[in-house]
Amino acid sequence: LAALTFTSCGGKREAVKQAALPEKFDKTANITLDEKEYSSNFKRGGADIWECEFTAPETIEGLKLTISGEVCRLEYKGLDYTVQRENMPDYGILPLVTKSVDNLIAGRDISTVKSGKSVISSGTVSGENFSAEISDGEIKTLNIEGYLSVEFT
């Protein structure tokens, strides 16, 4: 997808500096992972504080994950479990989305090109290439090549 984004026909693309993104992040996410659809709410309270609550599909609706520092807390239907962040899988929805957005907000190892009224910023997370469309100072989409796509509203 990123290859198509950077080589597709259309307007001229030029390297630009990514505009600063706000530290706070509070978005609804429509996610596709391995051809499965998910919906969740992502909130970022700072560089190492994240909350993600799934709203669909019904089988995981209400699952809430909170990352604070080196700890991740999972809550679901009255059950509560805490795990060290380092023991979480690198390729789950939460770590891929949060690490990508953290990199975009920090401007860490990001390259950016202008694309019409938006910019496309790209980088690497957990060894995977990602790209994000940014418009009006907000992240609109996030794509990890061949694996995960997210539309933020």
Side-chain angles (χ1 to χ4, degrees):
L1 183 59
L4 290 174
T5 301
F6 293 117
T7 60
S8 63
C9 297
K12 182 179 172 185
R13 297 178 190 268
E14 61 182 82
V16 295
K17 183 177 179 188
Q18 175 185 288
L21 296 170
E23 290 283 320
K24 301 283 186 197
F25 186 86
D26 188 351
K27 298 280 185 188
T28 298
N30 295 312
I31 304 161
T32 303
L33 172 69
D34 291 335
E35 299 180 14
K36 294 182 179 120
E37 302 289 325
Y38 301 89
S39 293
S40 65
N41 297 313
F42 278 90
K43 294 180 183 177
R44 183 180 192 264
D48 65 349
I49 301 172
W50 277 96
E51 179 179 289
C52 171
E53 185 168 357
F54 286 91
T55 56
E58 188 176 317
T59 54
I60 62 169
E61 181 180 1
L63 172 62
K64 183 177 176 183
L65 300 107
T66 306
I67 295 175
S68 180
E70 295 303 314
V71 176
C72 180
R73 181 177 178 198
L74 293 85
E75 300 170 72
Y76 186 64
K77 296 185 178 184
L79 300 173
D80 192 335
Y81 182 72
T82 302
V83 64
Q84 291 296 310
R85 195 171 182 178
E86 67 188 31
N87 294 329
M88 292 178 58
D90 287 336
Y91 298 100
I93 291 172
L94 183 66
L96 288 173
V97 171
T98 60
K99 288 177 184 179
S100 297
V101 172
D102 280 342
N103 286 353
L104 289 163
I105 289 171
R108 217 176 7 245
D109 299 321
I110 300 295
S111 62
T112 302
V113 294
K114 187 164 179 56
S115 176
K117 294 181 181 180
S118 302
V119 297
I120 306 296
S121 292
S122 58
T124 304
V125 63
S126 299
E128 300 293 328
N129 295 327
F130 73 86
S131 63
E133 178 188 358
I134 300 170
S135 179
D136 299 323
E138 295 185 358
I139 302 169
K140 301 295 184 178
T141 64
L142 172 68
N143 293 292
I144 297 178
E145 287 182 21
Y147 188 66
L148 170 87
S149 64
V150 183
E151 181 179 335
F152 293 108
T153 57

